[in-house]
Amino acid sequence: QKEVEQNSGPLSVPEGAIASLNCTYSDRGSQSFFWYRQYSGKSPELIMSIYSNGDKEDGRFTAQLNKASQYVSLLIRDSQPSDSATYLCAGRRNNDMRFGAGTRLTVKP
Amino acid sequence: DTGVSQNPRHKITKRGQNVTFRCDPISEHNRLYWYRQTLGQGPEFLTYFQNEAQLEKSRLLSDRFSAERPKGSFSTLEIQRTEQGDSAMYLCASSSMSSGSYEQYFGPGTRLTVT
């Protein structure tokens, strides 16, 4: 079992819809979680981080964390074609960051 | 703040050759990380520096890999006697201990192709 698991997708949503990306983790000692966006051939770009149970909003993005269920999600509201990318979930314990394999999102105009 | 930079951006080498990559972190970021990423996978941790001290190294990391951060600023990653399986994107990231957030910011990466 991988420490951080994501549905590889692809996930396809129409422009303007809400995209929901999910991630589960196995290490209960994980202290914080991160969502990165990665365009093809480029390096990961940090979207947001979350440390506490509940929701954290930043613009069109909302991260959700449920430590009891070991579940992290990212919602993208009003999805745009420019949001088409691979989204990486990562969990951190101390200085050890573990990444999922990513979910590929396609936003269709 | 110019971001994390990496050089070279691309490297093609023949099997058995040594290669060295450089990473310049965001200024004043005292934490520096090296990752390797292959197609369809997330970044895989290789090693971590806090200032000039190498504090963690992946158990999966071959002895052919070595990294340094001599003055706590830039870092180099060397791969000796390269193998075709070393072909990957090598990513460097940095973070600030003072921020307390552990948010890591990645450089553009060095894509290595071993022929």
Side-chain angles (χ1 to χ4, degrees):
Chain A
Q1 180 189 9
K2 289 188 176 180
E3 292 193 29
V4 178
E5 299 225 34
Q6 297 181 253
N7 187 325
S8 61
L11 173 66
S12 181
V13 299
E15 183 174 357
I18 296 175
S20 178
L21 302 159
N22 305 315
C23 170
T24 58
Y25 62 95
S26 60
D27 182 2
R28 286 195 172 274
S30 298
Q31 296 157 302
S32 55
F33 300 88
F34 304 84
W35 283 100
Y36 286 83
R37 176 174 62 196
Q38 187 170 28
Y39 293 112
S40 182
K42 302 296 186 183
S43 62
E45 173 191 6
L46 180 66
I47 298 174
M48 61 194 305
S49 58
I50 187 165
Y51 303 81
S52 304
N53 277 330
D55 296 359
K56 180 180 178 183
E57 186 174 320
D58 184 359
R60 296 187 297 113
F61 299 97
T62 298
Q64 299 174 318
L65 174 58
N66 183 325
K67 289 187 177 181
S69 300
Q70 296 177 251
Y71 179 88
V72 192
S73 66
L74 180 70
L75 300 177
I76 306 174
R77 289 180 299 281
D78 188 26
S79 295
Q80 301 297 309
S82 58
D83 294 326
S84 298
T86 296
Y87 288 80
L88 298 165
C89 171
R92 178 192 68 84
R93 177 203 274 259
N94 298 322
N95 291 298
D96 189 357
M97 186 96 94
R98 300 298 173 104
F99 286 82
T103 297
R104 185 174 181 84
L105 171 68
T106 300
V107 180
K108 294 187 174 180
Chain B
D1 184 351
T2 57
V4 179
S5 62
Q6 292 187 246
N7 287 288
R9 297 290 303 277
H10 302 273
K11 179 70 176 179
I12 300 174
T13 191
K14 292 185 177 180
R15 188 177 56 185
Q17 298 295 305
N18 299 343
V19 294
T20 300
F21 309 141
R22 175 176 170 131
C23 170
D24 287 87
I26 294 171
S27 58
E28 299 181 355
H29 274 193
N30 57 345
R31 292 179 172 144
L32 187 147
Y33 307 79
W34 284 99
Y35 293 87
R36 175 172 59 193
Q37 187 177 25
T38 54
L39 194 63
Q41 300 299 315
E44 174 191 20
F45 170 78
L46 294 179
T47 191
Y48 156 66
F49 290 85
Q50 183 168 303
N51 299 313
E52 66 276 9
Q54 187 174 19
L55 297 186
E56 288 187 42
K57 189 174 176 181
S58 170
R59 289 170 293 173
L60 302 176
L61 199 61
S62 162
D63 289 344
R64 298 183 296 106
F65 287 70
S66 63
E68 294 182 341
R69 194 183 182 197
K71 295 184 179 179
S73 56
F74 73 92
S75 175
T76 58
L77 177 69
E78 180 183 18
I79 309 174
Q80 295 183 327
R81 305 181 304 281
T82 53
E83 301 172 357
Q84 287 189 324
D86 296 331
S87 295
M89 175 77 89
Y90 289 84
L91 295 163
C92 175
S94 69
S95 69
S96 169
M97 190 165 64
S98 61
S99 73
S101 70
Y102 290 90
E103 292 179 346
Q104 296 183 22
Y105 297 88
F106 283 87
T110 295
R111 183 169 296 283
L112 173 66
T113 302
V114 182
T115 62

